[in-house]
Amino acid sequence: MSSAEDQKRAVGEAAAALVEADMVVGLGTGSTAAWFVKALGARGLAGLTCVATSQATAELASSLGLKIAELGETRTIDLTIDGADEIGPGLSLIKGGGAALLREKLVWEASKRCVVIGDAAKQVPLLGRYALPIEVVAFGHKTTADRICDVLAEFEIGVAPRLRVTDAGPVRTDNGNLIYDAACGRIEEPAALGAALKSLTGVVEHGLFLDLADRALIGTDGGVITVEP
Ligand code: 5RP
């Protein structure tokens, strides 16, 4: 049986093979996306321009000799490759485990094509087992969290979102915001829930990525499989 790390590496390498020499490429964030970035760096494509979804990815890519541009400073991104925390029906996704959801969504939405990559454990029949990350502005964040709680209750999700913290204190995103994680359990109406969360003042973005992925590459014991929405 292949390990999750073997599968992440396999899909990262398979995704790097999709990149053509003169493309503008969006680079995702996380351990799976890092395998992709390393495989892309190893191809040594001199004509490539990359747009990173986080500071960490930009640093990794630069260290490998990849040319990094800011979002909006290039022509349209041809292809973005990124990981996910859950890959659900119709390639609906939960993202943001690495706290990069805002930049990820900005880059995904600016891309002609997006391919999500993940190990087999990421594929789920229904979104929600992985806690949904929600990026909020720091000012008044406890009030915003109460309002998120009210919205979750409207969707019969009876949990309080939890502020993401490490030993060093609350996690700050690359944008200086905070992350709340909502352990929803089951998300029956992801589009409606996403819209309701996004309507709250103080919520910057949520980790539901819907109708954005054009294809998934999933690592399995039998090799990499392709899933279309
Ligand atoms: C970062 C993300 C990542 O893509 C997601 O957390 C998956 O990470 P990994 O590849 O390490 O399992 O959304 O914000």
Side-chain angles (χ1 to χ4, degrees):
M1 217 171 90
S2 57
S3 70
E5 208 53 33
D6 290 339
Q7 294 175 359
K8 289 178 181 194
R9 182 179 190 149
V11 291
E13 290 175 354
L18 300 176
V19 174
E20 290 164 24
D22 58 348
M23 279 185 170
V24 178
V25 183
L27 307 179
T29 294
S31 56
T32 317
W35 282 117
F36 160 67
V37 174
K38 286 178 202 160
L40 191 59
R43 288 191 60 192
L45 301 173
L48 215 58
T49 303
C50 302
V51 178
T53 53
S54 64
Q55 199 51 45
T57 295
E59 283 165 16
L60 172 65
S62 297
S63 76
L64 297 167
L66 292 165
K67 189 168 69 190
I68 296 291
E70 291 295 314
L71 179 61
E73 282 183 352
T74 68
R75 60 179 165 79
T76 308
I77 299 169
D78 295 294
L79 173 65
T80 285
I81 310 273
D82 198 354
D85 300 300
E86 282 189 342
I87 303 173
L91 300 190
S92 57
L93 309 174
I94 286 182
K95 286 186 51 56
L101 61 155
L102 175 59
R103 293 192 186 194
E104 289 171 337
K105 203 173 273 188
L106 283 164
V107 170
W108 279 57
E109 289 182 351
S111 303
K112 287 184 202 159
R113 264 195 327 139
C114 298
V115 175
V116 61
I117 52 177
D119 54 287
K122 299 290 175 59
Q123 216 176 1
V124 295
L126 185 72
L127 295 179
R129 201 174 49 188
Y130 191 92
L132 176 65
I134 304 165
E135 182 162 346
V136 305
V137 294
F139 180 82
H141 66 92
K142 289 184 181 155
T143 305
T144 305
D146 288 343
R147 299 188 70 202
I148 291 172
C149 204
D150 293 343
V151 164
L152 293 173
E154 283 167 25
F155 286 82
E156 296 178 3
I157 298 168
V159 293
R162 297 183 60 162
L163 181 65
R164 194 181 295 182
V165 291
T166 65
D167 291 345
V171 170
R172 290 276 179 170
T173 68
D174 284 351
N175 321 298
N177 298 317
L178 300 172
I179 298 280
Y180 276 85
D181 292 300
C184 299
R186 298 168 64 84
I187 301 178
E188 308 271 3
E189 300 171 88
L193 176 62
L197 290 171
K198 192 77 187 264
S199 74
L200 295 176
T201 305
V203 168
V204 180
E205 194 49 80
H206 56 77
L208 289 165
F209 281 49
L210 308 173
D211 299 320
L212 286 172
D214 297 291
R215 184 191 293 184
L217 300 182
I218 312 274
T220 72
D221 285 339
V224 174
I225 60 164
T226 300
V227 179
E228 307 280 348

